[in-house]
Amino acid sequence: MKLQLNGASIDSQVTTLADLLIAEGFGDAKVATAVNGTFVPALARWDHALTRGDAIEVLAPMQGG
């Protein structure tokens, strides 16, 4: 299915947000996620089903000041 990941179009056969993170190499990284502009907590990713056209944002924390 076609998805948007951090603004880039991708084609993936995953069904959940957690599966997408694994497939795209994020694995166990500490990241924040949102689907269609709505924050998805880490514990809810396995239950969050994706549908064609969803826009997913994955953000990693940054250090600095």
Side-chain angles (χ1 to χ4, degrees):
M1 86 179 107
K2 294 283 186 187
L3 300 167
Q4 291 285 320
L5 178 60
N6 291 343
S9 180
I10 64 168
D11 191 20
S12 183
Q13 299 306 314
V14 299
T15 58
T16 68
L17 179 56
D19 290 334
L20 178 68
L21 293 175
I22 292 167
E24 293 297 318
F26 292 100
D28 292 328
K30 300 293 184 197
V31 295
T33 55
V35 177
N36 300 323
T38 301
F39 174 71
V40 179
L43 294 176
R45 293 175 187 158
W46 288 106
D47 296 325
H48 192 96
L50 297 175
T51 59
R52 184 178 42 176
D54 279 347
I56 299 100
E57 293 292 328
V58 180
L59 303 170
M62 298 178 70
Q63 292 184 345

